[in-house]
Amino acid sequence: MNKRILIIGACGQIGTELTLKLREINGENAVVASDIREGNEELMSSGPFEFINAMDYNSILKIIEKYQINEVYLMAAMLSATGEKYPAKAWELNMTSLFNVLNLAKEGKIEKLFWPSSIAVFGPTTPKENTPQETIMEPSTVYGISKQAGERWCEYYFNKFGVDVRSIRYPGIISWKADPGGGTTDYAVEIYHNALLHGKYDSFLSKDTKLPMMYMDDAIDATIKIMDADASTIKVRSSYNLAAMSFTPEEIAIEIKKIVPKFEITYHSDFRQNIADSWPKSIDDSRAREDWGWKHNFNLEKMSKNMIESLHIRYDEM
């Protein structure tokens, strides 16, 4: 059966590039993008778009029936730093949107569902190095709490109702196409923009704050790969650990200086430092690699070169 895909939250950092890649693979009319706001020109012109509030069950159902959707990617969420400013709104959006799509799958309206979790499910009591798949989770942010609760509900709907829901715990995601989306790890996106535009960057995390990171190309590849995998290979129905590289602001600055020699970085930690300090420094993702063949392609050096080359072209075209 041909895939007919709906992406909810398609205008976000990951959603934008996921939409474009899925349209490239499956055909532009097979992938419906949706959000509460319009996306960039490339997204809007490359295939069908619908306005959807992720918390409105009936509007999601209407679009599913209109396009005969059989797969949904729920990418709508309020991220960590923004969620700390609006905790009640973050909880409501993150949980209501998940229940909507889980129930649609339970009712047989869709066949397969992707929902992203995050390293935010881990907390200060979690082992920091090579954080295992199963471990202590005591998240300290409303974003992390909502993701941990979401993992449990995904597993519950699979076990109780046979819902084919699949999930990965994203580390910090770095991309040149979309602007930062309010996450604690977004310094690693801002720093490249500032290096090219201003030649300097003031980091809101300390120089030795090591966090798990991933280039967007790898994140998109993992997302599509887990959805394409045979259901029998998906052994974890809460969410899979996913990793590529770990680095500090100081280490990323060193790589940037190799390409932009006059680049300067300063450090003034804010409230996001406490969030970052509660998260792991590195992730053990051996289960994902063993179960459905995950592997990453980008390290810090390769990513930095690609980011700066791509941003140069982007700014030259503006």
Side-chain angles (χ1 to χ4, degrees):
M1 184 178 293
N2 291 333
K3 292 182 181 180
R4 294 182 298 278
I5 297 167
L6 172 64
I7 302 177
I8 302 172
C11 299
Q13 184 192 28
I14 301 175
T16 297
E17 298 195 41
L18 177 64
T19 301
L20 296 173
K21 188 64 176 180
L22 285 170
R23 283 175 173 168
E24 179 186 318
I25 295 169
N26 298 286
E28 60 184 28
N29 291 322
V31 181
V32 180
S34 70
D35 212 311
I36 58 171
R37 59 184 173 88
E38 289 189 350
N40 65 29
E41 183 179 348
E42 187 179 12
L43 176 79
M44 299 300 292
S45 64
S46 63
F49 179 87
E50 297 281 350
F51 287 102
I52 289 182
N53 182 341
M55 295 191 290
D56 185 344
Y57 175 94
N58 289 325
S59 69
I60 300 172
L61 175 59
K62 181 179 178 181
I63 299 304
I64 285 173
E65 292 176 340
K66 177 180 177 180
Y67 292 93
Q68 297 182 303
I69 298 295
N70 52 32
E71 292 187 12
V72 169
Y73 291 71
L74 174 60
M75 309 307 292
M78 189 177 293
L79 301 182
S80 58
T82 307
E84 291 307 287
K85 297 177 183 177
Y86 310 103
K89 289 182 179 179
W91 175 261
E92 183 182 15
L93 169 61
N94 294 354
M95 298 311 300
T96 301
S97 59
L98 175 58
F99 277 122
N100 282 341
V101 292
L102 284 173
N103 285 324
L104 285 163
K106 174 189 170 186
E107 293 157 13
K109 305 296 183 182
I110 54 175
E111 298 167 10
K112 195 186 297 184
L113 168 64
F114 177 82
W115 172 80
S117 188
S118 164
I119 59 169
V121 297
F122 303 121
T125 55
T126 301
K128 297 289 188 187
E129 299 284 355
N130 293 318
T131 302
Q133 176 66 45
E134 288 92 16
T135 188
I136 299 167
M137 292 184 187
E138 293 183 329
S140 58
T141 64
V142 66
Y143 178 64
I145 294 166
S146 70
K147 288 299 185 184
Q148 187 194 25
E151 287 191 14
R152 303 277 67 80
W153 280 112
C154 287
E155 191 174 57
Y156 182 87
Y157 269 71
F158 171 76
N159 289 329
K160 288 285 185 178
F161 309 119
V163 169
D164 188 357
V165 57
R166 304 172 184 207
S167 179
I168 51 183
R169 293 171 182 152
Y170 287 128
I173 305 298
I174 301 169
S175 165
W176 62 268
K177 286 188 178 181
D179 293 329
T184 300
T185 56
D186 277 344
Y187 89 86
V189 180
E190 294 175 355
I191 192 171
Y192 289 105
H193 288 267
N194 280 265
L196 289 177
L197 292 174
H198 310 296
K200 59 183 179 180
Y201 180 64
D202 188 28
S203 174
F204 56 76
L205 298 181
S206 66
K207 67 178 183 179
D208 56 355
T209 304
K210 183 180 177 183
L211 290 170
M213 298 285 189
M214 179 174 290
Y215 198 39
M216 179 66 81
D217 294 42
D218 280 338
I220 299 301
D221 181 59
T223 303
I224 294 172
K225 194 173 185 67
I226 192 173
M227 284 293 275
D228 285 346
D230 189 274
S232 64
T233 68
I234 309 300
K235 310 292 186 184
V236 176
R237 290 291 181 162
S238 52
S239 191
Y240 276 96
N241 275 2
L242 198 72
M245 51 185 150
S246 290
F247 55 77
T248 66
E250 184 176 44
E251 288 170 335
I252 194 173
I254 290 170
E255 286 300 324
I256 290 173
K257 284 183 179 182
K258 291 177 182 178
I259 309 169
V260 186
K262 294 183 179 180
F263 173 68
E264 296 179 357
I265 186 169
T266 52
Y267 304 93
H268 293 93
S269 300
D270 65 13
F271 73 98
R272 288 166 285 194
Q273 184 68 51
N274 289 332
I275 298 175
D277 288 343
S278 73
W279 290 349
K281 295 180 178 180
S282 59
I283 300 288
D284 177 0
D285 63 351
S286 54
R287 291 289 298 276
R289 294 176 187 270
E290 292 166 4
D291 289 358
W292 44 276
W294 157 244
K295 58 182 179 180
H296 69 282
N297 292 310
F298 285 85
N299 59 18
L300 177 56
E301 181 181 14
K302 184 178 178 181
M303 177 187 72
S304 296
K305 289 179 180 177
N306 194 279
M307 278 288 291
I308 291 173
E309 288 172 3
S310 300
L311 284 174
H312 261 306
I313 295 171
R314 174 179 168 180
Y315 289 132
D316 287 345
E317 292 176 348
M318 291 175 68

